[in-house]
Amino acid sequence: MTATPTSEAMASEEDEPRNCVVCGDRATGYHFHALTCEGCKGFFRRTVNKKTGLTCPFAGSCNVSKAQRRHCPACRLQKCLNAGMKKDMILSSEALALRRAKQAQRRAQQAPTQLSKEQKELVQILLGAHNRHLGTMFEQFVQFRPPAHLFIHHQGLPTLVPVLPLLTHFADINTFMVQQVIKFTKDLPLFRSLPMEDQISLLKGAALEICQIALNTTFCLQTQNFLCGPLRYTIEDGARDRPGITRREEIDQVQEEMALTLHSYIKGQQPRPRDRFLYAKLLGLLAELRSLNNAYGYQIQHIRGLSAMMPLLQEICS
Amino acid sequence: MTATPTSEAMASEEDEPRNCVVCGDRATGYHFHALTCEGCKGFFRRTVNKKTGLTCPFAGSCNVSKAQRRHCPACRLQKCLNAGMKKDMILSSEALALRRAKQAQRRAQQAPTQLSKEQKELVQILLGAHNRHLGTMFEQFVQFRPPAHLFIHHQGLPTLVPVLPLLTHFADINTFMVQQVIKFTKDLPLFRSLPMEDQISLLKGAALEICQIALNTTFCLQTQNFLCGPLRYTIEDGARDRPGITRREEIDQVQEEMALTLHSYIKGQQPRPRDRFLYAKLLGLLAELRSLNNAYGYQIQHIRGLSAMMPLLQEICS
DNA sequence: CTCTGTTCATGGAGTTCA
DNA sequence: TGAACTCCATGAACAGAG
Ligand SMILES: [Zn+2]
Ligand SMILES: [Zn+2]
Ligand SMILES: [Zn+2]
Ligand SMILES: [Zn+2]
């Protein structure tokens, strides 16, 4: 019975031995214990457990071919059963529920990175402190005597802008931002637990960097402006074309790149290899930022008269 | 001794006496205390410790054969247990961890990081260029008119040291080191393939950092000196107690940390999670180094007369 | 050689959406 | 409805310890 080395064996091994035993279409493998195509596979799963009795409009002797298989579901299902397809190979509803539950668990574990209770609390502390002091910081810029042309709805002549009030405004909001950063750190127990000397050192090193990163969140890619409440700062506001501050555009470029990368980092939390790369890239950008910060601090120190306006920043940069 | 020529012999000499007691497939030996095939072996290991209760869609009386063993895991597992397979022969997670730790050690000792052919060539290029220009760089410091007190075997009074010759020497060795770094990059085909403009930018940004890192390799932890051939530089040599350069000790501290971390990085090639952390830490330290580099460049620029001594460094820092 | 675990291509389930 | 996916159990082949 097993092997009759006749022409049959040859014939059965024709070039295309894999045809659907139901409709004759190209089979994609065994489905529910029969060699079938994708169509009959799906049809069987959907149809076999429906109680609604299918009835053949003819005598139940329809031809089931690839072209005609849609015409009579009753005969198609009958041929599926005759071909040996078994309904018990379809996952039961309980097994299915179990499977979906497992997948949901997997998804839940992967997406929000598994955090311990302490870690979640830490995140809450950070978010709370950020919201209290940094999140709405920019909307309060308007309280520091901003020149009229900074208002979004200002309609004056854009050319003549007095320099001194703008500089004063910048000095004030810089001082304000650093104050907010200090308040922010005061709400972080772990930071408070450091020796006061270390706290000061860390603030000196990073306060302006934090301000720059925070300011990035207000940058609008479309209009290329920083939008802070009712105020709009163009890049030209920050960088007059005087010698020594022309590199401000570089700063913004790097800062923009930084903001974009942060965005990607927050959004892309699924793929592990990219995670690693992003973290490295972020740290690399911190090097750039530190560098820019130094240049900034140097300029702050050397703009005549500005130091007197910002004793706090003066202290930070010392 | 083996064969008692009774009817048993006939039975024992069947064509295939080694069949899986679970499914009847060809057995490959005893697995978990029962004669089974590879399939049932893997199935038992995977399945027996899963808490998710398997349930037979039928009465639990499925036939478990080679062809049908996949259809009902519940009955298959039941038959495994009935056949005497024991779950406690599966290695516990602790035993597994131990085994893997040992293997990791073996791997690390035998194959010091598997590199592709191209990677090995790249490493050779890097090592060659480093050896030619950076490796023996420090031993040549002696050629740049070092003050007598720098020699290791110098026995003079340690207090009175003229400043100008020392400063000149520092200027010369700094220029020399930067020249070596440039030679180093000229021997790197990948670097040469960059546009000249980019090469200059990268050198401006990193040349002094490379010098600092390279210099760390001469730092002796015991004596807290930099040993360069016959010369010995104490930290005080580099950082006179004049205002503005007192932070030199910070520099050395960070550089020392950096050197230590690099050392750990090179030595610790076994554990994967630590690798990741080390890379991040290194990049973080690069931020610090970049910061120090800026401060250094600033000071270089502002030491009166020193700029004239080091036109090359002047160029780098511009 | 025997009996552990590990790896990874593969098949056959369900799922999606035009 | 079904072509084109995801997902995971499977098991042959392999590696390593004893
Ligand atoms: Zn079909
Ligand atoms: Zn019909
Ligand atoms: Zn078996
Ligand atoms: Zn069963």
Side-chain angles (χ1 to χ4, degrees):
Chain A
M1 179 85 193
T2 52
T4 51
T6 66
S7 60
E8 278 188 27
M10 301 294 288
S12 68
E13 288 178 7
E14 284 173 0
D15 42 335
E16 292 183 358
R18 296 173 66 89
N19 284 334
C20 174
V21 294
V22 176
C23 71
D25 194 3
R26 186 178 59 87
T28 61
Y30 281 85
H31 303 296
F32 312 108
H33 215 249
L35 189 67
T36 70
C37 64
E38 282 294 309
C40 292
K41 162 192 164 190
F43 169 79
F44 186 75
R45 180 190 307 107
R46 284 192 299 268
T47 315
V48 75
N49 276 330
K50 286 188 178 174
K51 326 177 177 6
T52 56
L54 296 174
T55 50
C56 174
F58 304 102
S61 59
C62 302
N63 183 25
V64 180
S65 67
K66 175 178 180 180
Q68 298 172 320
R69 64 193 180 195
R70 279 187 215 82
H71 297 339
C72 181
C75 288
R76 191 184 190 182
L77 179 59
Q78 189 52 241
K79 199 170 176 187
C80 284
L81 294 170
N82 290 343
M85 296 181 79
K86 294 180 180 177
K87 73 157 70 173
D88 28 81
M89 309 263 329
I90 297 174
L91 266 57
S92 68
S93 57
E94 308 120 29
L96 214 55
L98 200 79
R99 219 177 74 130
R100 276 197 262 255
K102 275 189 182 177
Q103 282 202 6
Q105 275 191 356
R106 289 285 172 89
R107 296 285 161 87
Q109 277 187 355
Q110 279 189 355
T113 320
Q114 58 271 27
L115 295 176
S116 71
K117 190 182 173 186
E118 293 77 14
Q119 287 175 316
K120 285 180 183 174
E121 288 174 357
L122 180 57
V123 168
Q124 284 309 311
I125 288 173
L126 283 169
L127 285 178
H130 183 273
N131 288 336
R132 275 190 297 280
H133 305 299
L134 303 182
T136 62
M137 179 169 61
F138 313 107
E139 300 161 14
Q140 301 174 51
F141 284 2
V142 71
Q143 301 173 9
F144 297 95
R145 294 166 294 169
H149 80 280
L150 287 179
F151 284 86
I152 290 176
H153 301 298
H154 175 70
Q155 298 290 347
L157 294 176
T159 51
L160 289 176
V161 174
V163 171
L164 189 60
L166 187 60
L167 211 52
T168 310
H169 176 64
F170 277 175
D172 289 346
I173 63 176
N174 267 301
T175 302
F176 172 66
M177 284 196 292
V178 171
Q179 286 171 337
Q180 292 302 110
V181 169
I182 292 172
K183 287 183 188 171
F184 169 74
T185 61
K186 283 191 187 303
D187 278 3
L188 304 181
L190 279 172
F191 190 84
R192 296 301 304 273
S193 69
L194 296 174
M196 184 55 67
E197 193 179 347
D198 291 350
Q199 289 186 36
I200 294 172
S201 295
L202 288 170
L203 275 172
K204 279 192 178 184
L208 286 177
E209 291 178 20
I210 293 173
C211 291
Q212 291 176 355
I213 293 174
L215 195 57
N216 280 332
T217 64
T218 71
F219 189 72
C220 171
L221 285 176
Q222 282 72 41
T223 62
Q224 298 284 308
N225 295 324
F226 295 91
L227 301 178
C228 301
L231 305 181
R232 171 184 52 206
Y233 301 86
T234 67
I235 292 176
E236 288 74 24
D237 285 327
R240 299 310 189 107
D241 56 350
R242 78 188 60 167
I245 320 191
T246 51
R247 68 171 65 177
R248 180 58 186 254
E249 291 182 16
E250 297 172 39
I251 297 179
D252 290 310
Q253 197 172 349
V254 173
Q255 286 183 348
E256 184 183 319
E257 186 185 358
M258 181 113 195
L260 285 174
T261 308
L262 280 170
H263 180 250
S264 305
Y265 182 62
I266 290 166
K267 222 178 61 176
Q269 285 176 331
Q270 302 92 15
R272 294 179 184 178
R274 259 179 52 194
D275 267 354
R276 205 193 289 187
F277 182 69
L278 272 173
Y279 188 48
K281 194 175 176 185
L282 280 172
L283 288 172
L285 284 173
L286 273 185
E288 299 292 339
L289 188 57
R290 180 70 51 94
S291 167
L292 293 172
N293 185 35
N294 282 342
Y296 183 53
Y298 171 70
Q299 288 175 6
I300 288 283
Q301 295 258 359
H302 288 77
I303 296 178
R304 192 179 307 275
L306 196 58
S307 303
M309 291 193 229
M310 305 187 292
L312 181 58
L313 256 70
Q314 184 73 5
E315 177 70 17
I316 290 277
C317 295
S318 68
Chain B
M1 182 78 195
T2 53
T4 52
T6 65
S7 60
E8 280 185 26
M10 301 293 288
S12 69
E13 285 178 8
E14 285 173 0
D15 43 337
E16 290 182 359
R18 297 170 66 89
N19 283 335
C20 173
V21 294
V22 175
C23 71
D25 194 5
R26 185 179 61 86
T28 60
Y30 282 86
H31 301 295
F32 311 110
H33 217 251
L35 189 67
T36 69
C37 64
E38 281 295 310
C40 293
K41 162 193 164 190
F43 170 79
F44 186 74
R45 179 188 307 108
R46 280 193 304 268
T47 315
V48 75
N49 276 329
K50 285 193 174 171
K51 40 183 173 280
T52 55
L54 296 175
T55 49
C56 172
F58 303 102
S61 58
C62 301
N63 182 24
V64 180
S65 66
K66 174 178 181 180
Q68 297 175 323
R69 64 192 181 196
R70 273 186 225 86
H71 298 339
C72 181
C75 290
R76 189 184 190 183
L77 178 61
Q78 189 52 244
K79 200 170 176 186
C80 284
L81 293 170
N82 290 344
M85 296 180 79
K86 294 181 180 177
K87 73 159 68 173
D88 43 352
M89 305 218 32
I90 296 174
L91 267 58
S92 69
S93 56
E94 304 93 42
L96 264 183
L98 198 78
R99 221 176 74 130
R100 275 196 271 255
K102 284 184 182 177
Q103 282 197 8
Q105 278 189 353
R106 291 281 172 87
R107 290 283 163 86
Q109 284 180 354
Q110 286 181 354
T113 320
Q114 61 273 25
L115 296 176
S116 73
K117 191 182 173 186
E118 293 77 14
Q119 288 175 317
K120 285 180 182 173
E121 288 174 358
L122 180 57
V123 169
Q124 284 309 311
I125 289 173
L126 285 168
L127 286 178
H130 184 273
N131 288 337
R132 276 190 296 280
H133 305 299
L134 303 182
T136 62
M137 179 169 61
F138 313 107
E139 300 163 13
Q140 302 174 51
F141 285 1
V142 71
Q143 302 174 8
F144 297 96
R145 294 166 294 168
H149 79 279
L150 288 179
F151 285 86
I152 290 177
H153 302 297
H154 175 70
Q155 300 289 348
L157 294 176
T159 51
L160 289 176
V161 174
V163 170
L164 190 59
L166 186 60
L167 210 53
T168 309
H169 176 64
F170 277 175
D172 289 345
I173 64 176
N174 266 302
T175 301
F176 170 68
M177 284 196 292
V178 171
Q179 285 171 338
Q180 294 301 111
V181 169
I182 292 172
K183 286 182 188 171
F184 169 74
T185 62
K186 282 191 187 301
D187 278 3
L188 304 181
L190 278 174
F191 189 84
R192 296 300 306 271
S193 70
L194 295 175
M196 185 54 67
E197 193 178 349
D198 292 350
Q199 290 186 36
I200 293 172
S201 295
L202 288 171
L203 276 172
K204 279 193 178 183
L208 286 177
E209 291 179 17
I210 293 172
C211 292
Q212 290 177 355
I213 293 174
L215 195 58
N216 280 331
T217 63
T218 70
F219 189 72
C220 173
L221 286 176
Q222 280 72 42
T223 62
Q224 298 284 307
N225 294 325
F226 295 92
L227 301 178
C228 301
L231 305 181
R232 171 184 51 206
Y233 299 88
T234 67
I235 292 175
E236 289 73 24
D237 286 327
R240 299 312 189 106
D241 56 348
R242 78 189 60 168
I245 320 191
T246 51
R247 66 171 68 176
R248 182 58 188 251
E249 290 182 16
E250 297 172 39
I251 297 179
D252 289 312
Q253 195 172 351
V254 173
Q255 286 183 349
E256 183 184 320
E257 186 184 359
M258 180 112 195
L260 284 174
T261 308
L262 280 169
H263 180 249
S264 304
Y265 182 63
I266 291 167
K267 219 179 66 176
Q269 285 175 332
Q270 305 92 12
R272 292 179 186 177
R274 258 180 52 194
D275 267 352
R276 207 194 288 188
F277 181 69
L278 272 173
Y279 187 50
K281 194 174 176 185
L282 280 172
L283 288 172
L285 285 173
L286 273 185
E288 298 292 338
L289 190 55
R290 179 71 51 91
S291 167
L292 294 172
N293 186 34
N294 281 344
Y296 183 52
Y298 171 70
Q299 289 176 6
I300 288 284
Q301 295 257 357
H302 287 75
I303 297 178
R304 192 178 308 275
L306 196 60
S307 303
M309 292 193 231
M310 306 187 290
L312 181 59
L313 256 68
Q314 185 72 4
E315 177 69 17
I316 291 276
C317 296
S318 70

